[in-house]
PDB file of all heavy atoms in Angstrom:
ATOM      1  N   CYS A 285      95.045 119.197 110.703  1.00 90.00           N
ATOM      2  CA  CYS A 285      93.852 119.435 111.561  1.00 90.00           C
ATOM      3  C   CYS A 285      94.220 119.612 113.012  1.00 90.00           C
ATOM      4  O   CYS A 285      93.712 120.469 113.750  1.00 90.00           O
ATOM      5  CB  CYS A 285      92.844 118.309 111.392  1.00 90.00           C
ATOM      6  SG  CYS A 285      91.950 118.272 109.824  1.00 90.00           S
ATOM      7  N   LEU A 286      95.138 118.735 113.475  1.00 92.00           N
ATOM      8  CA  LEU A 286      95.600 118.871 114.904  1.00 92.00           C
ATOM      9  C   LEU A 286      96.313 120.206 115.114  1.00 92.00           C
ATOM     10  O   LEU A 286      96.172 120.776 116.194  1.00 92.00           O
ATOM     11  CB  LEU A 286      96.529 117.716 115.215  1.00 92.00           C
ATOM     12  CG  LEU A 286      95.863 116.331 115.269  1.00 92.00           C
ATOM     13  CD1 LEU A 286      96.911 115.254 115.533  1.00 92.00           C
ATOM     14  CD2 LEU A 286      94.805 116.305 116.382  1.00 92.00           C
ATOM     15  N   TRP A 287      97.050 120.692 114.149  1.00 90.00           N
ATOM     16  CA  TRP A 287      97.665 122.005 114.236  1.00 90.00           C
ATOM     17  C   TRP A 287      96.596 123.055 114.373  1.00 90.00           C
ATOM     18  O   TRP A 287      96.697 123.976 115.232  1.00 90.00           O
ATOM     19  CB  TRP A 287      98.516 122.240 112.989  1.00 90.00           C
ATOM     20  CG  TRP A 287      99.343 123.518 113.033  1.00 90.00           C
ATOM     21  CD1 TRP A 287      99.240 124.549 113.906  1.00 90.00           C
ATOM     22  CD2 TRP A 287     100.495 123.813 112.186  1.00 90.00           C
ATOM     23  NE1 TRP A 287     100.207 125.504 113.623  1.00 90.00           N
ATOM     24  CE2 TRP A 287     101.002 125.056 112.570  1.00 90.00           C
ATOM     25  CE3 TRP A 287     101.059 123.125 111.090  1.00 90.00           C
ATOM     26  CZ2 TRP A 287     102.033 125.655 111.946  1.00 90.00           C
ATOM     27  CZ3 TRP A 287     102.146 123.732 110.468  1.00 90.00           C
ATOM     28  CH2 TRP A 287     102.627 124.989 110.923  1.00 90.00           C
ATOM     29  N   LEU A 288      95.544 123.010 113.589  1.00 90.00           N
ATOM     30  CA  LEU A 288      94.517 123.989 113.682  1.00 90.00           C
ATOM     31  C   LEU A 288      93.754 123.952 115.010  1.00 90.00           C
ATOM     32  O   LEU A 288      93.367 124.966 115.589  1.00 90.00           O
ATOM     33  CB  LEU A 288      93.476 123.784 112.554  1.00 90.00           C
ATOM     34  CG  LEU A 288      93.870 124.303 111.218  1.00 90.00           C
ATOM     35  CD1 LEU A 288      92.886 123.843 110.112  1.00 90.00           C
ATOM     36  CD2 LEU A 288      93.960 125.835 111.201  1.00 90.00           C
ATOM     37  N   LEU A 289      93.564 122.757 115.536  1.00 92.00           N
ATOM     38  CA  LEU A 289      92.926 122.626 116.876  1.00 92.00           C
ATOM     39  C   LEU A 289      93.849 123.206 117.945  1.00 92.00           C
ATOM     40  O   LEU A 289      93.299 123.743 118.953  1.00 92.00           O
ATOM     41  CB  LEU A 289      92.617 121.153 117.181  1.00 92.00           C
ATOM     42  CG  LEU A 289      91.526 120.466 116.346  1.00 92.00           C
ATOM     43  CD1 LEU A 289      91.365 119.006 116.725  1.00 92.00           C
ATOM     44  CD2 LEU A 289      90.228 121.205 116.497  1.00 92.00           C
ATOM     45  N   GLY A 290      95.120 123.128 117.742  1.00 91.00           N
ATOM     46  CA  GLY A 290      96.048 123.803 118.652  1.00 91.00           C
ATOM     47  C   GLY A 290      95.900 125.330 118.550  1.00 91.00           C
ATOM     48  O   GLY A 290      95.906 126.018 119.578  1.00 91.00           O
ATOM     49  N   VAL A 291      95.777 125.842 117.330  1.00 89.00           N
ATOM     50  CA  VAL A 291      95.558 127.301 117.182  1.00 89.00           C
ATOM     51  C   VAL A 291      94.259 127.733 117.840  1.00 89.00           C
ATOM     52  O   VAL A 291      94.200 128.821 118.461  1.00 89.00           O
ATOM     53  CB  VAL A 291      95.523 127.619 115.662  1.00 89.00           C
ATOM     54  CG1 VAL A 291      95.130 129.080 115.456  1.00 89.00           C
ATOM     55  CG2 VAL A 291      96.870 127.326 114.999  1.00 89.00           C
ATOM     56  N   ASN A 292      93.205 126.899 117.713  1.00 89.00           N
ATOM     57  CA  ASN A 292      91.899 127.265 118.293  1.00 89.00           C
ATOM     58  C   ASN A 292      91.630 126.551 119.618  1.00 89.00           C
ATOM     59  O   ASN A 292      90.454 126.279 119.972  1.00 89.00           O
ATOM     60  CB  ASN A 292      90.791 126.869 117.311  1.00 89.00           C
ATOM     61  CG  ASN A 292      90.913 127.573 115.977  1.00 89.00           C
ATOM     62  OD1 ASN A 292      91.319 128.713 115.879  1.00 89.00           O
ATOM     63  ND2 ASN A 292      90.508 126.924 114.910  1.00 89.00           N
ATOM     64  N   HIS A 293      92.684 126.266 120.333  1.00 91.00           N
ATOM     65  CA  HIS A 293      92.537 125.435 121.559  1.00 91.00           C
ATOM     66  C   HIS A 293      91.502 125.899 122.586  1.00 91.00           C
ATOM     67  O   HIS A 293      90.836 125.155 123.212  1.00 91.00           O
ATOM     68  CB  HIS A 293      93.922 125.219 122.225  1.00 91.00           C
ATOM     69  CG  HIS A 293      94.506 126.477 122.793  1.00 91.00           C
ATOM     70  ND1 HIS A 293      95.190 127.402 122.013  1.00 91.00           N
ATOM     71  CD2 HIS A 293      94.397 126.996 124.059  1.00 91.00           C
ATOM     72  CE1 HIS A 293      95.561 128.403 122.806  1.00 91.00           C
ATOM     73  NE2 HIS A 293      95.118 128.211 124.010  1.00 91.00           N
ATOM     74  N   ALA A 294      91.406 127.281 122.661  1.00 93.00           N
ATOM     75  CA  ALA A 294      90.446 127.814 123.624  1.00 93.00           C
ATOM     76  C   ALA A 294      89.013 127.575 123.211  1.00 93.00           C
ATOM     77  O   ALA A 294      88.059 127.732 124.048  1.00 93.00           O
ATOM     78  CB  ALA A 294      90.704 129.357 123.762  1.00 93.00           C
ATOM     79  N   TYR A 295      88.781 127.229 121.961  1.00 91.00           N
ATOM     80  CA  TYR A 295      87.384 127.014 121.502  1.00 91.00           C
ATOM     81  C   TYR A 295      87.045 125.544 121.194  1.00 91.00           C
ATOM     82  O   TYR A 295      85.948 125.245 120.756  1.00 91.00           O
ATOM     83  CB  TYR A 295      87.188 127.834 120.192  1.00 91.00           C
ATOM     84  CG  TYR A 295      87.323 129.343 120.443  1.00 91.00           C
ATOM     85  CD1 TYR A 295      88.547 129.960 120.254  1.00 91.00           C
ATOM     86  CD2 TYR A 295      86.224 130.097 120.784  1.00 91.00           C
ATOM     87  CE1 TYR A 295      88.679 131.323 120.466  1.00 91.00           C
ATOM     88  CE2 TYR A 295      86.353 131.446 121.017  1.00 91.00           C
ATOM     89  CZ  TYR A 295      87.590 132.084 120.848  1.00 91.00           C
ATOM     90  OH  TYR A 295      87.706 133.422 121.032  1.00 91.00           O
ATOM     91  N   VAL A 296      87.987 124.648 121.409  1.00 93.00           N
ATOM     92  CA  VAL A 296      87.747 123.233 121.106  1.00 93.00           C
ATOM     93  C   VAL A 296      86.669 122.641 121.958  1.00 93.00           C
ATOM     94  O   VAL A 296      85.717 122.012 121.442  1.00 93.00           O
ATOM     95  CB  VAL A 296      89.054 122.434 121.239  1.00 93.00           C
ATOM     96  CG1 VAL A 296      88.756 120.929 121.076  1.00 93.00           C
ATOM     97  CG2 VAL A 296      90.075 122.857 120.183  1.00 93.00           C
ATOM     98  N   TRP A 297      86.741 122.836 123.290  1.00 94.00           N
ATOM     99  CA  TRP A 297      85.733 122.263 124.156  1.00 94.00           C
ATOM    100  C   TRP A 297      84.348 122.932 123.947  1.00 94.00           C
ATOM    101  O   TRP A 297      83.329 122.202 123.812  1.00 94.00           O
ATOM    102  CB  TRP A 297      86.147 122.345 125.613  1.00 94.00           C
ATOM    103  CG  TRP A 297      85.074 121.862 126.568  1.00 94.00           C
ATOM    104  CD1 TRP A 297      84.313 122.576 127.449  1.00 94.00           C
ATOM    105  CD2 TRP A 297      84.643 120.505 126.692  1.00 94.00           C
ATOM    106  NE1 TRP A 297      83.477 121.799 128.128  1.00 94.00           N
ATOM    107  CE2 TRP A 297      83.603 120.507 127.670  1.00 94.00           C
ATOM    108  CE3 TRP A 297      84.950 119.302 126.049  1.00 94.00           C
ATOM    109  CZ2 TRP A 297      82.928 119.325 128.030  1.00 94.00           C
ATOM    110  CZ3 TRP A 297      84.279 118.113 126.423  1.00 94.00           C
ATOM    111  CH2 TRP A 297      83.304 118.155 127.447  1.00 94.00           C
ATOM    112  N   PRO A 298      84.318 124.277 123.848  1.00 93.00           N
ATOM    113  CA  PRO A 298      82.997 124.890 123.518  1.00 93.00           C
ATOM    114  C   PRO A 298      82.447 124.445 122.200  1.00 93.00           C
ATOM    115  O   PRO A 298      81.210 124.284 122.042  1.00 93.00           O
ATOM    116  CB  PRO A 298      83.322 126.396 123.493  1.00 93.00           C
ATOM    117  CG  PRO A 298      84.495 126.488 124.424  1.00 93.00           C
ATOM    118  CD  PRO A 298      85.330 125.274 124.181  1.00 93.00           C
ATOM    119  N   ALA A 299      83.296 124.187 121.187  1.00 92.00           N
ATOM    120  CA  ALA A 299      82.822 123.737 119.903  1.00 92.00           C
ATOM    121  C   ALA A 299      82.253 122.333 120.022  1.00 92.00           C
ATOM    122  O   ALA A 299      81.183 122.034 119.445  1.00 92.00           O
ATOM    123  CB  ALA A 299      83.977 123.740 118.883  1.00 92.00           C
ATOM    124  N   LEU A 300      82.925 121.458 120.741  1.00 93.00           N
ATOM    125  CA  LEU A 300      82.428 120.104 120.950  1.00 93.00           C
ATOM    126  C   LEU A 300      81.081 120.127 121.663  1.00 93.00           C
ATOM    127  O   LEU A 300      80.165 119.369 121.294  1.00 93.00           O
ATOM    128  CB  LEU A 300      83.428 119.298 121.759  1.00 93.00           C
ATOM    129  CG  LEU A 300      83.125 117.828 121.956  1.00 93.00           C
ATOM    130  CD1 LEU A 300      83.055 117.075 120.606  1.00 93.00           C
ATOM    131  CD2 LEU A 300      84.242 117.146 122.808  1.00 93.00           C
ATOM    132  N   ARG A 301      80.956 120.968 122.666  1.00 92.00           N
ATOM    133  CA  ARG A 301      79.731 121.058 123.418  1.00 92.00           C
ATOM    134  C   ARG A 301      78.590 121.596 122.516  1.00 92.00           C
ATOM    135  O   ARG A 301      77.413 121.075 122.603  1.00 92.00           O
ATOM    136  CB  ARG A 301      79.910 121.978 124.593  1.00 92.00           C
ATOM    137  CG  ARG A 301      78.773 122.000 125.634  1.00 92.00           C
ATOM    138  CD  ARG A 301      79.220 122.709 126.892  1.00 92.00           C
ATOM    139  NE  ARG A 301      79.774 124.004 126.599  1.00 92.00           N
ATOM    140  CZ  ARG A 301      80.619 124.667 127.429  1.00 92.00           C
ATOM    141  NH1 ARG A 301      80.967 124.118 128.557  1.00 92.00           N
ATOM    142  NH2 ARG A 301      81.065 125.823 127.088  1.00 92.00           N
ATOM    143  N   LEU A 302      78.908 122.571 121.681  1.00 89.00           N
ATOM    144  CA  LEU A 302      77.910 123.123 120.773  1.00 89.00           C
ATOM    145  C   LEU A 302      77.438 122.078 119.704  1.00 89.00           C
ATOM    146  O   LEU A 302      76.261 121.997 119.400  1.00 89.00           O
ATOM    147  CB  LEU A 302      78.462 124.326 120.061  1.00 89.00           C
ATOM    148  CG  LEU A 302      77.557 125.003 118.993  1.00 89.00           C
ATOM    149  CD1 LEU A 302      76.268 125.540 119.684  1.00 89.00           C
ATOM    150  CD2 LEU A 302      78.289 126.147 118.332  1.00 89.00           C
ATOM    151  N   ILE A 303      78.354 121.288 119.217  1.00 90.00           N
ATOM    152  CA  ILE A 303      78.039 120.259 118.212  1.00 90.00           C
ATOM    153  C   ILE A 303      77.024 119.270 118.825  1.00 90.00           C
ATOM    154  O   ILE A 303      76.049 118.875 118.185  1.00 90.00           O
ATOM    155  CB  ILE A 303      79.307 119.495 117.835  1.00 90.00           C
ATOM    156  CG1 ILE A 303      80.171 120.378 116.913  1.00 90.00           C
ATOM    157  CG2 ILE A 303      78.990 118.180 117.111  1.00 90.00           C
ATOM    158  CD1 ILE A 303      81.542 119.810 116.587  1.00 90.00           C
ATOM    159  N   VAL A 304      77.216 118.860 120.093  1.00 89.00           N
ATOM    160  CA  VAL A 304      76.321 117.906 120.702  1.00 89.00           C
ATOM    161  C   VAL A 304      74.985 118.524 121.055  1.00 89.00           C
ATOM    162  O   VAL A 304      73.916 117.912 120.732  1.00 89.00           O
ATOM    163  CB  VAL A 304      76.995 117.322 121.988  1.00 89.00           C
ATOM    164  CG1 VAL A 304      75.999 116.374 122.700  1.00 89.00           C
ATOM    165  CG2 VAL A 304      78.233 116.547 121.643  1.00 89.00           C
ATOM    166  N   ALA A 376      85.133 113.575 111.903  1.00 89.00           N
ATOM    167  CA  ALA A 376      84.877 114.215 113.216  1.00 89.00           C
ATOM    168  C   ALA A 376      85.910 115.322 113.473  1.00 89.00           C
ATOM    169  O   ALA A 376      85.510 116.424 113.906  1.00 89.00           O
ATOM    170  CB  ALA A 376      84.901 113.186 114.318  1.00 89.00           C
ATOM    171  N   ILE A 377      87.164 115.048 113.180  1.00 91.00           N
ATOM    172  CA  ILE A 377      88.167 116.024 113.420  1.00 91.00           C
ATOM    173  C   ILE A 377      88.040 117.225 112.465  1.00 91.00           C
ATOM    174  O   ILE A 377      88.273 118.387 112.867  1.00 91.00           O
ATOM    175  CB  ILE A 377      89.581 115.439 113.369  1.00 91.00           C
ATOM    176  CG1 ILE A 377      90.623 116.323 114.077  1.00 91.00           C
ATOM    177  CG2 ILE A 377      90.053 115.212 111.930  1.00 91.00           C
ATOM    178  CD1 ILE A 377      91.971 115.691 114.206  1.00 91.00           C
ATOM    179  N   GLY A 379      85.107 118.340 111.248  1.00 90.00           N
ATOM    180  CA  GLY A 379      83.976 119.093 111.803  1.00 90.00           C
ATOM    181  C   GLY A 379      84.378 119.967 113.008  1.00 90.00           C
ATOM    182  O   GLY A 379      83.978 121.092 113.131  1.00 90.00           O
ATOM    183  N   LEU A 380      85.145 119.377 113.897  1.00 93.00           N
ATOM    184  CA  LEU A 380      85.614 120.075 115.087  1.00 93.00           C
ATOM    185  C   LEU A 380      86.504 121.280 114.692  1.00 93.00           C
ATOM    186  O   LEU A 380      86.376 122.340 115.272  1.00 93.00           O
ATOM    187  CB  LEU A 380      86.402 119.152 115.969  1.00 93.00           C
ATOM    188  CG  LEU A 380      86.666 119.658 117.394  1.00 93.00           C
ATOM    189  CD1 LEU A 380      85.412 120.077 118.125  1.00 93.00           C
ATOM    190  CD2 LEU A 380      87.433 118.572 118.196  1.00 93.00           C
ATOM    191  N   VAL A 381      87.350 121.074 113.670  1.00 91.00           N
ATOM    192  CA  VAL A 381      88.187 122.203 113.181  1.00 91.00           C
ATOM    193  C   VAL A 381      87.314 123.317 112.662  1.00 91.00           C
ATOM    194  O   VAL A 381      87.538 124.497 112.946  1.00 91.00           O
ATOM    195  CB  VAL A 381      89.142 121.695 112.124  1.00 91.00           C
ATOM    196  CG1 VAL A 381      89.735 122.863 111.288  1.00 91.00           C
ATOM    197  CG2 VAL A 381      90.301 120.892 112.693  1.00 91.00           C
ATOM    198  N   LEU A 382      86.297 123.005 111.871  1.00 89.00           N
ATOM    199  CA  LEU A 382      85.447 124.011 111.211  1.00 89.00           C
ATOM    200  C   LEU A 382      84.637 124.823 112.238  1.00 89.00           C
ATOM    201  O   LEU A 382      84.530 126.011 112.195  1.00 89.00           O
ATOM    202  CB  LEU A 382      84.550 123.368 110.161  1.00 89.00           C
ATOM    203  CG  LEU A 382      85.284 122.701 108.964  1.00 89.00           C
ATOM    204  CD1 LEU A 382      84.250 121.991 108.106  1.00 89.00           C
ATOM    205  CD2 LEU A 382      86.035 123.725 108.174  1.00 89.00           C
ATOM    206  N   VAL A 383      84.029 124.041 113.126  1.00 90.00           N
ATOM    207  CA  VAL A 383      83.145 124.684 114.134  1.00 90.00           C
ATOM    208  C   VAL A 383      84.021 125.568 115.058  1.00 90.00           C
ATOM    209  O   VAL A 383      83.639 126.724 115.417  1.00 90.00           O
ATOM    210  CB  VAL A 383      82.361 123.643 114.955  1.00 90.00           C
ATOM    211  CG1 VAL A 383      81.565 124.332 116.099  1.00 90.00           C
ATOM    212  CG2 VAL A 383      81.417 122.931 114.029  1.00 90.00           C
ATOM    213  N   SER A 384      85.176 125.061 115.546  1.00 90.00           N
ATOM    214  CA  SER A 384      86.009 125.869 116.447  1.00 90.00           C
ATOM    215  C   SER A 384      86.549 127.103 115.709  1.00 90.00           C
ATOM    216  O   SER A 384      86.744 128.144 116.306  1.00 90.00           O
ATOM    217  CB  SER A 384      87.156 125.004 116.961  1.00 90.00           C
ATOM    218  OG  SER A 384      88.034 124.572 115.922  1.00 90.00           O
ATOM    219  N   SER A 385      86.797 126.970 114.421  1.00 87.00           N
ATOM    220  CA  SER A 385      87.336 128.098 113.629  1.00 87.00           C
ATOM    221  C   SER A 385      86.285 129.184 113.502  1.00 87.00           C
ATOM    222  O   SER A 385      86.573 130.428 113.574  1.00 87.00           O
ATOM    223  CB  SER A 385      87.765 127.617 112.212  1.00 87.00           C
ATOM    224  OG  SER A 385      88.811 126.760 112.278  1.00 87.00           O
ATOM    225  N   ILE A 386      85.010 128.794 113.320  1.00 86.00           N
ATOM    226  CA  ILE A 386      83.928 129.813 113.237  1.00 86.00           C
ATOM    227  C   ILE A 386      83.731 130.466 114.547  1.00 86.00           C
ATOM    228  O   ILE A 386      83.507 131.713 114.663  1.00 86.00           O
ATOM    229  CB  ILE A 386      82.618 129.143 112.794  1.00 86.00           C
ATOM    230  CG1 ILE A 386      82.748 128.624 111.334  1.00 86.00           C
ATOM    231  CG2 ILE A 386      81.456 130.125 112.856  1.00 86.00           C
ATOM    232  CD1 ILE A 386      81.577 127.841 110.847  1.00 86.00           C
ATOM    233  N   MET A 387      83.850 129.680 115.660  1.00 87.00           N
ATOM    234  CA  MET A 387      83.676 130.281 116.991  1.00 87.00           C
ATOM    235  C   MET A 387      84.807 131.254 117.303  1.00 87.00           C
ATOM    236  O   MET A 387      84.635 132.311 117.972  1.00 87.00           O
ATOM    237  CB  MET A 387      83.584 129.204 118.037  1.00 87.00           C
ATOM    238  CG  MET A 387      82.354 128.292 117.902  1.00 87.00           C
ATOM    239  SD  MET A 387      82.233 127.113 119.236  1.00 87.00           S
ATOM    240  CE  MET A 387      81.743 128.148 120.610  1.00 87.00           C
ATOM    241  N   ALA A 388      86.020 130.925 116.850  1.00 85.00           N
ATOM    242  CA  ALA A 388      87.182 131.781 117.091  1.00 85.00           C
ATOM    243  C   ALA A 388      87.163 133.000 116.186  1.00 85.00           C
ATOM    244  O   ALA A 388      87.681 134.049 116.528  1.00 85.00           O
ATOM    245  CB  ALA A 388      88.458 130.979 116.843  1.00 85.00           C
ATOM    246  N   GLN A 407      94.332 129.699 108.669  1.00 81.00           N
ATOM    247  CA  GLN A 407      94.848 130.062 109.993  1.00 81.00           C
ATOM    248  C   GLN A 407      96.275 129.529 110.195  1.00 81.00           C
ATOM    249  O   GLN A 407      96.971 129.975 111.059  1.00 81.00           O
ATOM    250  CB  GLN A 407      93.924 129.568 111.082  1.00 81.00           C
ATOM    251  CG  GLN A 407      92.551 130.193 111.080  1.00 81.00           C
ATOM    252  CD  GLN A 407      91.656 129.596 112.101  1.00 81.00           C
ATOM    253  OE1 GLN A 407      91.508 130.088 113.201  1.00 81.00           O
ATOM    254  NE2 GLN A 407      91.039 128.461 111.752  1.00 81.00           N
TER     255      GLN A 407
END
Side-chain angles (χ1 to χ4, degrees):
C285 287
L286 292 176
W287 187 344
L288 281 172
L289 291 179
V291 173
N292 299 327
H293 66 276
Y295 297 91
V296 172
W297 177 248
L300 184 60
R301 191 167 51 200
L302 178 61
I303 287 170
V304 176
I377 199 172
L380 191 57
V381 163
L382 296 175
V383 175
S384 64
S385 295
I386 295 174
M387 295 184 73
Q407 295 176 95

